[in-house]
Amino acid sequence: MKTADAGARRAPLILFGAFDRHNLGDLLLGRIAAALAARLLPGREVRFAGLASRNLRADGGARVQALAELARDWNPAPREGAPARPPAWPPALLQVGGEILGCSAWEAAVMLLDATGAAHAITLHDRDPSARETWARQTLGSPRGLPYLAPHAALPPGTRIVHTGIGGVGFAALPAALRAEALDELRAAACVQVRDRRTRDALAAAGIEAELVPDPAVLVERLLGAEVARHAAMGEPAVLRARFPRGYVAVQLAAESGDDATLAALADDLAAISRARGLGLMLFCAGRAPWHDDPEPLQRLRRRLPDPASAVVAESRHVLDLCALIASAALCCASSLHARIVADAFARPAISIACGTAQAAKLRAWLDTWQPPQRHHLAAPGNLRALARSVMEPAPGQREAHAARLADLAEAAAHTAYARLFDPLDPEDKTP
């Protein structure tokens, strides 16, 4: 029979991901993983880990501890002369989604800086691959080339790792050393779940059999819908709904696509959609970390519109406010993968903006895997208005049915992932 003390000392769950920086998808994946843990593993201690210690609770994220520090907490160095002993209750680690098989040490280190620090690092090192990798690894305190891929060697003995909903559309093109690093970690994992066929096929070619599952963010309406509705009724989301009583188009664009030609084409598209439907335009940033979004290109986009007063650049950074802004939109046009996933989860009409090679590759891989070709709704700036009419045709039942199907698949995948984390580790623990 399990004692109260034993129950209190059950293996903790570490959620590891990029929730140490501001990005809609990463912060949302952390909240969803925590909600699933509360449902499937009631009473289990949950800790958030990233590459750096951060507190993003003001943005709807979590208090995050650096994985290296957290690992030392659970596996302290033995006293001099004493034999090393594994912890009696080793943790389990859930790798919480994201494009972790393509995020280099350089990219990870820069994205953890503020805007000024990132600009300085890029100026100093961007054109010297050797120098930037040296700087990145020193900054992160790790020699690993794919730092958001959880390293077994840095964790307490017996730690079980499950990767869920991860991506790597560029995996096959990685340098051989990075592919080898990734494959060593994935082979040691208890379970690998990937979010698109392109990643699954690349891993299969390298000898890794991964399960194909939807990105966990498809569960946002099912698990967080009530919280999102509360945010929609207050603060900036409520103000914008009142300002645009006939509705609005939610628009997001990655900062890398803020060149004049792209903004001019997008402004023409949005003005045409706005006039045809009598809709306002709500421009928003899905992520404020470096190499994500920036309000400045959105302000320039707004000024290019024939009627700048018809558009507002949203200010909120809170992940649930961002979800509420998308969930309340008459149409969502976004280059962000997770903005599209949120729109689809709430059965909102959506067009994905194909901008930037890496971002477009992620979008295409996701859409090819989980949407029929006629529902890809992926377009370059200049072609959005041609899609808008068909995308906005009344078909809420079809959108809702598709959202429910993906959520069912993701929920089943979560049951599998959590069971693989804990079932044999603690035989008396019957959850999930």
Side-chain angles (χ1 to χ4, degrees), residues 24 78 110 115 136 143 146 167 193 202-203 209 261 263 274 286 302-303 336 355 365 368 380 424-425 428:
L24 167 65
V110 170
L146 297 171
Q193 298 177 329
L203 294 181
E209 294 301 320
L263 295 183
S274 176
R302 179 178 174 272
R303 291 194 293 270
S336 161
C355 287
D368 285 344
L425 267 183
E428 295 188 28

Side-chain angles (χ1 to χ4, degrees), residues 249 262-277 305-306 331 333 351-353 377-392:
V249 181
T262 296
L263 295 183
L266 191 55
D268 288 345
D269 277 339
L270 295 173
I273 295 170
S274 176
R275 285 193 303 269
R277 300 278 177 166
L305 295 166
L331 172 67
C333 299
I351 297 174
S352 288
I353 304 174
H377 301 156
L378 177 66
N383 296 324
L384 271 64
R385 75 183 82 180
L387 263 182
R389 178 176 298 179
S390 61
V391 170
M392 297 181 72

Side-chain angles (χ1 to χ4, degrees), residues 101 168 171-173 179 183 186-187 194 196-210:
L101 298 179
F171 181 79
R179 290 201 307 274
L183 293 172
L186 296 177
R187 289 189 187 102
V194 300
D196 63 80
R197 288 196 187 98
R198 185 168 173 178
T199 301
R200 182 197 61 184
D201 293 348
L203 294 181
I208 300 291
E209 294 301 320

Side-chain angles (χ1 to χ4, degrees), residues 351-368:
I351 297 174
S352 288
I353 304 174
C355 287
T357 304
Q359 188 69 14
K362 284 197 302 183
L363 276 166
R364 287 193 177 94
W366 169 261
L367 295 170
D368 285 344

Side-chain angles (χ1 to χ4, degrees), residues 21-22 54 106 109-124 135 255 287-296 317:
R21 53 186 171 82
H22 187 278
R54 297 282 191 273
W106 164 246
V110 170
M111 288 188 287
L112 287 169
L113 300 174
D114 60 20
T116 301
H120 180 66
I122 291 168
T123 299
L124 286 178
W135 170 85
R288 301 299 182 102
W291 284 333
H292 285 72
D293 300 357
D294 188 330
E296 190 274 335
R317 298 165 51 102

Side-chain angles (χ1 to χ4, degrees), residues 206-284:
I208 300 291
E209 294 301 320
E211 180 184 357
L212 184 64
V213 305
D215 187 294
V218 301
L219 288 165
V220 58
E221 192 278 334
R222 182 169 294 183
L223 296 182
L224 306 178
E227 293 180 83
V228 171
R230 284 195 292 273
H231 277 254
M234 61 186 187
E236 187 174 42
V239 170
L240 292 176
R241 290 170 71 190
R243 174 165 180 164
F244 301 121
R246 296 184 62 182
Y248 60 79
V249 181
V251 182
Q252 175 271 337
L253 187 70
E256 65 175 336
S257 300
D259 59 277
D260 288 342
T262 296
L263 295 183
L266 191 55
D268 288 345
D269 277 339
L270 295 173
I273 295 170
S274 176
R275 285 193 303 269
R277 300 278 177 166
L279 300 172
L281 299 170
M282 187 280 296
L283 317 180
F284 71 100

Side-chain angles (χ1 to χ4, degrees), residues 137-179:
R137 296 182 189 205
Q138 290 174 345
T139 299
L140 296 175
S142 168
R144 302 186 61 77
L146 297 171
Y148 278 112
L149 183 58
H152 269 82
L155 298 170
T159 299
R160 180 164 295 195
I161 296 178
V162 165
H163 304 273
T164 183
I166 64 174
V169 297
F171 181 79
L174 288 177
L178 290 188
R179 290 201 307 274

